[in-house]
Amino acid sequence: MKKFRVVIIGAGIVGASIARILSMYENFDVVIVEKEPDVGWGVSKANTSIIHPGHEEDPNKYPLRAKLCVKGNQMWRTWAEELEIPVKWPGELMVFTNEDEEKQAREYIKLAQLNGVPGVRVVYGEELRFLEPSIGDDAKGAVYAPTAGVISPFEAVIAIVENAVENGAKLLTEAEVTGIRVYNSTVKGVETTQGFVEADIVINAAGLYADKISHLAGVELDFYIRPRKGEYILFDENIEPKPLKILHTVPTHITKGVYAITTVHGNVLIGPTAEDLPLEARDDASTSVKGLDYVYREATKLLKKLPPKSKIIRTFAGLRPEPPNGQWLIKAYSNPWGFVNVAGIRSPGLTAAPAIAEYVVELVANTYDVKLIRKGSWNPYRHDITRLSGKSLSEIDDLIRKNPDYGEIVCYCKMVSKAEVLEAIDRMMKIGIKTITLDGLKFRIYTGFGKCQGSFCRWRVAKVVSDKLSIPYYDVVVKKSSYGIGEIKILWSKKVGEENEVSKV
Ligand SMILES: Cc1cc2nc3c(=O)[nH]c(=O)nc-3n(C[C@H](O)[C@H](O)[C@H](O)COP(=O)(O)OP(=O)(O)OC[C@H]3O[C@@H](n4cnc5c(N)ncnc54)[C@H](O)[C@@H]3O)c2cc1C
């Protein structure tokens, strides 16, 4: 049996899912190549986090999206359980406030039937208010889709990569792909900022940059990805009432509408906007007064009582990788042989990712004549970090008796202990992450996600990192640049060669 060396470009939800499926088979040696210091820092990090039911995809216009969305929704039920990814399945209500909207919303019931999405129906009056007591007074009715879910998207990527690595895949971070080497119309590997990585098959799952990678391979030269910005408002956990269901306005031709949800971490999230940006603006994740005002206004159609603005703890934006015609570009090429595009994966890419991955592996097998052989040893399970949060006092007591580091709280908003920081660092090192960033820890153990947004815990987490890695505070990295405690003082005094008190804390 020939073993194919596969390089996957991009450790987002799509690349990670493909790696997990490939790791099930004897046929492949998998390397995921990622330009960032960590996984899941692209589009997959900042989105609405909905596992869509699939009734919003028109199978006549977008057959692949429709099919893989419905299948992805089903697959997440198994994947989230096997990998212990935070998820819930509250169902969603597409809220209409007048006859025009009602007419549009009812069209989705037809699509639900075409796509085989179960249980989709219209609800009114008492039933609507029973399903969602916090619904706005102007709501006339809603299309109810009971199979919708909410997931933690960044934890999903982390969990999937951990599992893929457990099953033999390798991760190369801080390696930006700068070229695709092709010889005799056959791919040979990828040039990266960390050198050449050999490959028989190269899978392009580079999110917002997938068009550029495709051009490097010499295919789909007319294909461009447009960043479409979505801005959000995140409220404190400590507000009432929180929506029980996923609520959203009726979709438009470019968006699925504005949502109001309770995230898996208990915050209320409203958004997004939908704004097409110039092609070159792929790093512009800024938020604007205009965008946030729009989100707040639209959300008042959904909820009886919006939380006050004083309860906002964060605003953020994500960029959708919008392909020219809304179609996902999933294709395996014979020229160059071995190059596969999984490009333009706009919404519902998060929902569909596991199904996209299965589809891509079948496509690879069919196109390149690979007879798939299942590994006997493949392990579907991954356990989440042991967390204090949500545990009873006696369980916490047990943990502290076994390991006193559980008794040292570094983050009070999210009740995170030093032991959790250490476990997260170990896991990051285990999957091959070279730089332990405070952002990477935040996505694993929620330090900095709470009400104080890190003002209490950040230096405490940095201290644990500094001690564990034996590096000075000022070398601990937040995202890409160093943090430094009392950074101005430290960096300044370091510059003039002075010793200082703070760096010795
Ligand atoms: C505002 C918004 C709301 C959304 N809401 C939902 C939703 O509720 N439900 C849903 O199903 N979908 C939603 N989506 C869509 C979903 O988030 C995306 O379809 C999905 O995350 C795309 O994943 P990806 O892996 O293709 O891309 P990414 O997550 O961007 O992964 C690509 C990776 O490639 C890396 N990369 C890029 N260039 C290079 C290079 N040259 N070398 C090495 N690495 C490189 C990047 O750093 C990145 O990590 C939403 C998207 C947005 C922006």
Side-chain angles (χ1 to χ4, degrees):
M1 177 197 70
K2 174 172 165 49
K3 224 175 184 179
F4 290 86
R5 213 174 133 77
V6 184
V7 163
I8 300 169
I9 306 171
I13 195 72
V14 173
S17 300
I18 296 170
R20 182 176 195 232
I21 299 271
L22 286 174
S23 79
M24 290 176 185
Y25 300 101
E26 297 284 359
N27 309 70
F28 307 104
D29 266 338
V30 181
V31 185
I32 316 167
V33 177
E34 170 56 54
K35 72 181 166 76
E36 300 294 343
D38 205 337
V39 304
W41 280 11
V43 185
S44 303
K45 165 175 70 117
N47 51 53
T48 321
S49 67
I50 310 296
I51 303 300
H52 292 290
H55 64 309
E56 286 163 20
E57 305 303 325
D58 185 339
N60 298 313
K61 285 192 197 147
Y62 308 109
L64 204 54
R65 271 171 35 188
K67 183 174 95 175
L68 300 183
C69 180
V70 179
K71 189 166 175 208
N73 180 298
Q74 290 159 5
M75 289 176 75
W76 273 118
R77 287 155 209 271
T78 316
W79 281 41
E81 206 172 304
E82 287 173 344
L83 303 174
E84 296 191 355
I85 300 166
V87 72
K88 56 180 185 170
W89 301 99
E92 73 166 43
L93 293 165
M94 182 193 290
V95 178
F96 49 83
T97 55
N98 58 43
E99 265 171 38
D100 260 7
E101 284 180 0
E102 178 174 2
K103 207 168 143 212
Q104 288 171 48
R106 279 182 168 278
E107 291 297 311
Y108 293 98
I109 296 178
K110 291 183 203 151
L111 294 187
Q113 281 156 2
L114 285 174
N115 291 333
V117 182
V120 180
R121 64 193 170 89
V122 181
V123 289
Y124 293 100
E126 263 180 36
E127 186 181 9
L128 174 63
R129 285 173 171 81
F130 172 75
L131 286 170
E132 183 52 74
S134 62
I135 197 125
D137 293 335
D138 291 343
K140 183 167 184 268
V143 171
Y144 177 41
T147 55
V150 180
I151 199 164
S152 172
F154 42 85
E155 286 174 271
V157 181
I158 291 166
I160 295 169
V161 172
E162 282 186 3
N163 183 244
V165 170
E166 166 76 26
N167 285 300
K170 289 186 188 58
L171 173 70
L172 186 62
T173 49
E174 298 175 60
E176 179 168 354
V177 172
T178 52
I180 311 281
R181 201 180 287 179
V182 175
Y183 183 69
N184 270 349
S185 304
T186 304
V187 293
K188 295 292 170 194
V190 297
E191 316 280 357
T192 82
T193 45
Q194 288 191 35
F196 179 66
V197 186
E198 205 180 325
D200 303 302
I201 295 170
V202 172
I203 299 180
N204 170 20
L208 285 160
Y209 297 87
D211 53 347
K212 293 184 190 279
I213 299 290
S214 187
H215 303 167
L216 289 177
V219 299
E220 310 291 352
L221 299 174
D222 294 334
F223 171 76
Y224 287 98
I225 287 174
R226 180 170 295 285
R228 182 174 286 167
K229 189 189 277 189
E231 298 181 37
Y232 294 91
I233 294 173
L234 188 71
F235 291 96
D236 187 1
E237 264 172 84
N238 187 17
I239 52 155
E240 289 296 340
K242 294 177 187 172
L244 301 177
K245 301 272 178 251
I246 297 161
L247 306 178
H248 71 113
T249 57
V250 177
T252 70
H253 69 286
I254 62 167
T255 109
K256 290 190 159 61
V258 168
Y259 282 75
I261 66 162
T262 305
T263 68
V264 285
H265 301 116
N267 301 84
V268 170
L269 176 73
I270 58 174
T273 54
E275 180 197 355
D276 281 332
L277 300 185
L279 290 184
E280 64 280 6
R282 300 177 205 213
D283 291 320
D284 174 7
S286 58
T287 53
S288 63
V289 173
K290 186 173 161 225
L292 299 175
D293 272 349
Y294 169 80
V295 163
Y296 203 83
R297 225 176 24 251
E298 283 293 291
T300 57
K301 293 183 187 165
L302 299 170
L303 291 170
K304 197 182 298 195
K305 189 166 161 265
L306 259 186
K309 288 182 180 159
S310 61
K311 292 285 183 182
I312 294 172
I313 58 169
R314 189 172 170 71
T315 64
F316 64 92
L319 299 176
R320 305 165 179 89
E322 191 61 35
N325 46 12
Q327 307 280 358
W328 291 340
L329 174 61
I330 306 183
K331 198 166 159 184
Y333 298 81
S334 332
N335 186 12
W337 195 98
F339 185 76
V340 183
N341 260 329
V342 191
I345 307 297
R346 45 92 87 197
S347 186
L350 171 65
T351 307
I356 291 176
E358 266 193 5
Y359 180 84
V360 168
V361 174
E362 277 166 29
L363 184 70
V364 164
N366 292 337
T367 312
Y368 304 126
D369 203 19
V370 184
K371 187 169 178 300
L372 296 173
I373 299 169
R374 274 295 282 246
K375 277 182 192 163
S377 59
W378 190 73
N379 176 10
Y381 301 107
R382 168 263 182 194
H383 292 292
D384 192 13
I385 287 176
T386 304
R387 301 176 194 276
L388 287 188
S389 167
K391 290 218 167 23
S392 68
L393 281 178
S394 73
E395 287 169 325
I396 292 175
D397 193 46
D398 280 351
L399 280 174
I400 296 172
R401 278 174 206 282
K402 284 184 204 131
N403 178 358
D405 285 342
Y406 283 106
E408 189 177 330
I409 303 301
V410 291
C411 161
Y412 278 99
C413 296
K414 294 284 179 186
M415 276 300 276
V416 185
S417 63
K418 180 181 172 186
E420 286 154 82
V421 183
L422 290 170
E423 186 180 347
I425 295 173
D426 284 344
R427 281 169 180 250
M428 290 167 87
M429 296 196 329
K430 195 170 168 203
I431 61 171
I433 285 176
K434 292 183 272 298
T435 310
I436 303 299
T437 59
L438 296 184
D439 265 19
L441 290 167
K442 172 176 161 181
F443 289 126
R444 285 167 176 83
I445 48 173
Y446 320 146
T447 43
F449 263 130
K451 189 184 188 133
C452 88
Q453 288 287 296
S455 60
F456 176 83
C457 63
R458 221 175 203 195
W459 76 266
R460 288 174 170 79
V461 179
K463 169 140 175 54
V464 181
V465 177
S466 147
D467 288 348
K468 167 88 178 171
L469 305 182
S470 302
I471 54 171
Y473 275 139
Y474 46 78
D475 282 350
V476 175
V477 169
V478 180
K479 187 174 183 187
K480 288 184 193 172
S481 54
S482 57
Y483 171 38
I485 300 302
E487 52 226 291
I488 305 295
K489 275 191 205 158
I490 283 185
L491 292 175
W492 184 76
S493 59
K494 193 182 172 211
K495 200 170 156 198
V496 295
E498 287 172 5
E499 264 303 316
N500 63 75
E501 290 304 308
V502 192
S503 62
K504 290 186 201 149
V505 172

